[in-house]
Amino acid sequence: MEENLTLHEASFVSRIDGDEIPVHPDSIIPSPNHLLSQFLEDGLCEYAFYYDSNKDICYVNSNLMSALGIAKPYIEKPATGIYEFIHPDDVRIFDQAFAWVKNKDRESLRRDFRLLTEKGKVFWVQFAGISEIHIEGSGGNLVGHLIDITHRVRWEIQHKNIIDGSSAIVFFADLKTHETRYSENLRQLLPDAKLEFEGDLLASIFPFVVFEDRQRLRDSVEQMIEGKTGKYSTEFRLQRPDGSRVWISCRCKSFFDASRQAKMIAGNLFNLSEMNQIRENVDKSCILHEITELPGRGRLLLDIEKMIHNRYVMSAAIVLLDIKGFHTYNDRFGRKTGDELLKGLSQMLSDRLPAEGILFHIHIDSFCILWPHATRLQVQSFMEFLQQETANPVMIGQDAIYTSFSMSAALFPSCGSSADELLANAEITLHKIKKEKWTKHAIYVPSDKRELKEKLDFEFQLTKALRNKREGFQMYYQPLVDAASGSLIGAEALLRWLSHENEIIKPEKIIAGLEATGYMDDMSEWVLEQGIRQCSEWLDAGVDPQFLIHINITAEDLMRPTYSESVFRMLKKYSMSPDNLILEITETSLMRNISICRQNLIRLRNGGVKIALDDFGTGYSSLNYLRELPVNVIKIDRAFIEDIQRDRFNHSFISAIILLAHSISRSVCIEGIEEIGQADFIRDLKADSFQGFYFGKPVSTSVFESKYFKNGYKQGRPSI
Ligand code: C2E
Ligand code: MG
Ligand code: MG
């Protein structure tokens, strides 16, 4: 301080006065003049300085000395030395301030930046100064002061954090200066909106307000400006750039001057749509299943998401469990028993949950286990374990009910990195498992998704072709021959589709696609019409009047109460006798739906149409039914023929069926004969007719005609 006083007392001739600068007695450092000395030392509770760029020295007052923690009342060579006192992030502001000083003569300057003390402490200052530049532009003086604004800045930062942290958008409108300011989070809603706006308060937001809501908003704001009300709340909609609309709730308050003129309006805007979403999520997470009281799908998704973001969870799994054929329990035992079964199964699963596993009831007939930290091996053996456990019945009162699950799992992170993706992938695999006969559980693999995509693409192309006048669909015909003479007795109509990639698609795949897309009925009718039309054309052209057209039908066809009438109508349309028609239905599908199909079968038989039981031997093969069913022909599946010369059982089976069938006046057709040896071997067993590649593969109409009617249609029965 002593040194300080001495310095300030030294005489000083200002450059402004054009005089020489005296030299300080203790050093070569020049001193400021008396007036400046006074300015730097007295009366100022702020920080003051005087910079002489000519000598490159900056005099500071005692306040600034102690704030910066320096021992001398000046900073030498501040053009470079000053930077050790400037916060690195604010160097640019500081430089701008200096450049400004140089370029703008005698104008005052205000800038905020941070200073650093020698000990690294930071404080905010607001700088205001006046510069004087020499005419020759080689240097100049700058006098200024710094106000410590650390307290204010901290408060402002805190204030901003509060606003940013809240989901509300804050705004202030100065009605005198017509300036409106919004908090930055307005940009989350409206990326193009201005945060600072000059002009009418409403004009700042009106372009984004849905037209119908503008008047309501205008009314409320005008009431406030006119001083009719001090507080106001209203709701309106904002149109976002992506086209979506969000509901906004606006709460504001006005501030008045002494003459009760509104001078400022301050308020908040809340995004109600976002709040509703939050509420919905909360609701979803609270809903428990009404029967099992387990949390549901909404909660599952939230919990998976939470688990994924838990940094201590490196692996996890979701396991889906679908009760096989649950609706049949409801249908057979009633709703009440169905509910009890669900409770019993949820209890069974809860008792067997892995440690940390959580059970959810996500659809009426499916559960899900969320299992943090699970590994592939654990999941695999858990699903096997559950499969074994379902060998035990669920007891409902005195009744033991046997059930089983189709199960699938998706592992985190390998099978998905979001709740939606994990659940969707587990569902893809479950869908696949449910269709498989022998597999009961599997973990998702990417090929499951590929297969599903291919299936969906195929179904898309199939339905597109169907709608496009059934483009590419056609019937192939395979000959049927008399077993004894080898002469042609008929043809089976078999569906084919020439896909857009010129691939000939087989009927099983086509039918699966048609069933999945709901077009099977439509196609059945078309197939029936094609077969009947073709046969009647051949008959008209002179083919043997006994010629039989075999058309495949499904149990679903026979379940339609009016199916038999539609067959008779079609026969009438093409003037074909029912004697020339055989409808083939597979043994398995017929047996499963026998009671519903029986009426149509009887009507068809009574009307003269013959029925063949297709693929016999692969299903129930109930000999008892054979007698009762209105069936004319039994077609023994080709599986029994393949090894017929060596397999004694197959030989005995065919022999027994032929004997039995003949005893009840049914005829027998053997399918799948590929070699002459097979035909000869079976002929001795007295089968009635044969079908198989040896006699002819399925071919298109033109090929069939050129092969089997090559000598004209009126040739009697061609021998194959
Ligand atoms: P299916 O009614 O038993 O028809 C006989 C199937 O066996 C045909 O297969 C035929 O190509 C094949 N086949 C015939 N002889 C031999 C042989 O010697 N060796 C071998 N390996 N196979 C032989 P395709 O055409 O693939 O038809 C498969 C099944 O699809 C049919 O079995 C039938 O159940 C169904 N299907 C075909 N077309 C239609 C249709 O238009 N409507 C309905 N509902 N089902 C159809
Ligand atoms: Mg058939
Ligand atoms: Mg068959």
Side-chain angles (χ1 to χ4, degrees):
M1 208 61 192
E2 273 307 297
E3 193 186 8
N4 223 5
L5 279 172
T6 328
L7 175 75
H8 293 156
E9 278 162 7
S11 64
F12 176 76
V13 182
S14 164
R15 296 278 310 185
I16 301 166
D17 301 325
D19 293 331
E20 292 270 313
I21 297 169
V23 174
H24 189 271
D26 296 346
S27 71
I28 48 141
I29 303 295
S31 306
N33 71 7
H34 184 68
L35 201 67
L36 274 168
S37 295
Q38 290 265 305
F39 169 68
L40 291 175
E41 192 198 355
D42 307 326
L44 276 176
C45 52
E46 287 126 8
Y47 313 125
F49 66 90
Y50 166 65
Y51 171 58
D52 181 338
S53 69
N54 215 25
K55 296 283 174 202
D56 198 17
I57 188 161
C58 183
Y59 301 98
V60 299
N61 71 348
S62 52
N63 278 343
L64 193 51
M65 268 175 72
S66 59
L68 293 177
I70 53 176
K72 294 178 181 167
Y74 50 84
I75 299 167
E76 286 177 89
K77 302 202 185 315
T80 49
I82 195 82
Y83 287 102
E84 69 182 87
F85 298 104
I86 309 294
H87 191 286
D89 292 350
D90 295 348
V91 166
R92 209 167 55 89
I93 301 174
F94 182 79
D95 282 347
Q96 275 173 356
F98 252 82
W100 197 90
V101 165
K102 269 186 156 178
N103 300 333
K104 304 232 168 175
D105 191 13
R106 285 188 179 276
E107 283 199 31
S108 70
L109 172 76
R110 275 174 184 273
R111 279 289 183 282
D112 297 350
F113 54 83
R114 278 162 290 181
L115 287 179
L116 292 173
T117 66
E118 270 192 342
K119 288 187 178 157
K121 210 179 135 218
V122 180
F123 61 105
W124 277 92
V125 289
Q126 186 175 72
F127 159 76
I130 298 177
S131 70
E132 178 264 350
I133 305 289
H134 292 294
I135 296 150
E136 61 273 25
S138 62
N141 304 316
L142 170 66
V143 64
H145 73 130
L146 303 166
I147 304 168
D148 191 333
I149 54 166
T150 311
H151 197 67
R152 197 190 82 201
V153 171
R154 286 216 178 114
W155 191 86
E156 276 173 6
I157 290 172
Q158 239 172 35
H159 191 230
K160 187 172 173 305
N161 285 345
I162 290 169
I163 291 173
D164 289 352
S166 111
S167 54
I169 297 156
V170 180
F171 70 91
F172 301 95
D174 189 323
L175 301 177
K176 303 272 185 224
T177 60
H178 299 291
E179 284 171 334
T180 307
R181 277 164 161 253
Y182 291 94
S183 56
E184 268 174 40
N185 49 3
L186 175 69
R187 289 264 166 84
Q188 288 167 11
L189 262 184
L190 305 170
D192 302 330
K194 280 186 185 169
L195 298 184
E196 289 180 19
F197 186 86
E198 256 181 70
D200 179 28
L201 159 65
L202 284 171
S204 65
I205 193 112
F206 249 39
F208 306 102
V209 177
V210 171
F211 184 79
E212 301 89 292
D213 299 351
R214 287 185 187 171
Q215 192 55 44
R216 197 169 60 251
L217 184 61
R218 180 185 295 283
D219 290 346
S220 58
V221 172
E222 277 173 0
Q223 282 196 30
M224 292 191 70
I225 293 173
E226 286 162 15
K228 288 185 184 154
T229 172
K231 278 186 182 170
Y232 205 87
S233 64
T234 185
E235 275 83 38
F236 60 90
R237 283 166 296 171
L238 285 180
Q239 180 90 42
R240 302 182 70 187
D242 63 4
S244 62
R245 289 176 167 194
V246 282
W247 272 103
I248 299 293
S249 156
C250 170
R251 305 261 178 284
C252 45
K253 183 175 179 358
S254 51
F255 299 87
F256 300 100
D257 60 15
S259 58
R260 195 140 176 98
Q261 287 275 307
K263 57 175 184 178
M264 186 166 90
I265 295 179
N268 295 318
L269 304 175
F270 294 98
N271 180 347
L272 286 178
S273 309
E274 197 177 84
M275 287 168 82
N276 284 343
Q277 184 66 47
I278 293 168
R279 195 173 308 141
E280 245 172 54
N281 283 347
V282 171
D283 287 351
K284 266 191 218 160
S285 71
C286 292
I287 295 172
L288 298 180
H289 196 281
E290 55 173 331
I291 300 167
T292 55
E293 293 181 354
L294 289 172
R297 191 185 171 88
R299 171 73 178 275
L300 170 69
L301 286 167
L302 293 173
D303 282 7
I304 300 177
E305 212 56 63
K306 210 158 79 191
M307 185 195 68
I308 287 172
H309 291 104
N310 181 341
R311 63 197 170 101
Y312 297 109
V313 176
M314 310 303 277
S315 71
I318 54 169
V319 183
L320 294 184
L321 304 115
D322 186 273
I323 310 165
K324 280 197 174 173
F326 176 70
H327 67 96
T328 58
Y329 299 103
N330 263 343
D331 296 346
R332 277 177 65 194
F333 306 114
R335 263 306 276 274
K336 210 164 157 261
T337 309
D339 290 357
E340 290 304 314
L341 181 62
L342 287 175
K343 280 188 205 161
L345 285 171
S346 90
Q347 190 55 54
M348 183 281 261
L349 291 171
S350 303
D351 294 344
R352 286 159 184 77
L353 274 185
E356 290 191 80
I358 312 167
L359 184 62
F360 299 82
H361 190 166
I362 54 173
H363 295 301
I364 180 70
D365 57 353
S366 55
F367 296 93
C368 179
I369 295 169
L370 174 59
W371 186 359
H373 311 296
T375 64
R376 178 177 289 273
L377 225 63
Q378 285 174 322
V379 172
Q380 197 71 46
S381 48
F382 178 69
M383 292 197 292
E384 268 152 32
F385 161 71
L386 276 188
Q387 193 182 322
Q388 286 158 13
E389 288 296 282
T390 50
N392 304 315
V394 176
M395 294 304 296
I396 295 172
Q398 299 297 309
D399 299 324
I401 298 188
Y402 288 87
T403 53
S404 66
F405 289 118
S406 299
M407 289 175 267
S408 72
L411 305 175
F412 171 76
S414 62
C415 306
S417 53
S418 73
D420 283 335
E421 195 184 358
L422 281 168
L423 199 55
N425 288 345
E427 276 169 349
I428 287 173
T429 304
L430 186 68
H431 188 70
K432 188 177 146 187
I433 290 292
K434 280 165 80 171
K435 292 216 162 132
E436 282 182 13
K437 225 173 178 178
W438 307 114
T439 321
K440 299 246 170 69
H441 53 79
I443 296 175
Y444 167 83
V445 282
S447 61
D448 292 347
K449 194 183 261 173
R450 251 194 328 270
E451 276 169 29
L452 181 73
K453 189 182 172 305
E454 277 166 18
K455 181 176 168 285
L456 295 177
D457 285 350
F458 174 76
E459 285 168 10
F460 174 75
Q461 294 300 343
L462 191 73
T463 44
K464 196 169 135 196
L466 256 176
R467 286 208 209 107
N468 194 15
K469 299 186 185 145
R470 298 197 177 81
E471 190 186 18
F473 287 94
Q474 53 180 308
M475 298 313 292
Y476 269 33
Y477 295 92
Q478 186 180 25
L480 281 113
V481 300
D482 177 71
S485 65
S487 55
L488 179 76
I489 52 169
E492 178 168 2
L494 296 160
L495 181 63
R496 297 287 184 271
W497 179 50
L498 187 67
S499 77
H500 63 297
E501 281 155 350
N502 273 338
E503 190 192 347
I504 294 184
I505 311 289
K506 292 279 210 137
E508 272 109 350
K509 193 171 173 193
I510 306 173
I511 291 167
L514 292 171
E515 275 169 353
T517 50
Y519 280 95
M520 193 54 205
D521 281 0
D522 184 59
M523 186 47 78
S524 287
E525 200 177 324
W526 184 79
V527 164
L528 184 75
E529 178 155 17
Q530 296 308 302
I532 291 177
R533 186 189 50 75
Q534 188 57 68
C535 184
S536 91
E537 259 180 42
W538 284 336
L539 290 168
D540 289 349
V543 163
D544 180 2
Q546 308 289 309
F547 190 87
L548 286 167
I549 186 77
H550 291 240
I551 297 176
N552 293 285
I553 62 167
T554 62
E556 283 72 30
D557 293 329
L558 286 180
M559 282 183 208
R560 295 210 306 269
T562 57
Y563 183 68
S564 48
E565 277 101 86
S566 64
V567 174
F568 294 129
R569 212 178 313 119
M570 201 65 83
L571 285 168
K572 206 168 162 203
K573 181 172 173 188
Y574 293 97
S575 313
M576 193 177 102
S577 160
D579 296 341
N580 296 100
L581 178 63
I582 293 196
L583 297 178
E584 294 192 5
I585 176 151
T586 61
E587 182 207 1
T588 319
S589 67
L590 180 61
M591 292 306 180
R592 234 185 253 145
N593 306 286
I594 183 74
S595 55
I596 318 174
C597 297
R598 195 187 290 270
Q599 285 307 313
N600 265 321
L601 283 175
I602 292 170
R603 265 185 247 134
L604 285 165
R605 190 200 46 193
N606 292 347
V609 174
K610 285 183 253 313
I611 307 291
L613 201 55
D614 206 354
D615 302 348
F616 188 79
T618 54
Y620 298 78
S621 306
S622 163
L623 301 178
N624 195 29
Y625 268 124
L626 273 187
R627 192 157 42 99
E628 284 179 28
L629 280 173
V631 162
N632 306 77
V633 182
I634 294 157
K635 291 184 82 177
I636 295 180
D637 192 76
R638 71 182 149 88
F640 295 91
I641 314 306
E642 275 166 17
D643 217 12
I644 187 75
Q645 280 132 306
R646 274 179 298 274
D647 194 317
R648 285 189 59 80
F649 172 80
N650 285 354
H651 183 266
S652 311
F653 176 80
I654 295 178
S655 167
I657 295 298
I658 294 174
L659 268 176
L660 181 91
H662 286 169
S663 73
I664 50 170
S665 309
R666 312 287 194 260
S667 68
V668 175
C669 172
I670 312 288
E671 296 186 277
I673 294 183
E674 293 183 350
E675 295 159 14
I676 181 147
Q678 292 169 321
D680 292 343
F681 198 73
I682 300 165
R683 197 170 285 118
D684 296 342
L685 299 178
K686 305 271 180 296
D688 299 279
S689 56
F690 289 150
Q691 182 181 0
F693 290 174
Y694 171 69
F695 300 103
K697 288 188 170 179
V699 287
S700 65
T701 310
S702 56
V703 176
F704 191 89
E705 287 174 351
S706 64
K707 253 181 132 175
Y708 305 111
F709 305 135
K710 55 179 174 279
N711 301 322
Y713 296 101
K714 295 187 186 8
Q715 58 177 6
R717 292 178 161 209
S719 213
I720 294 174

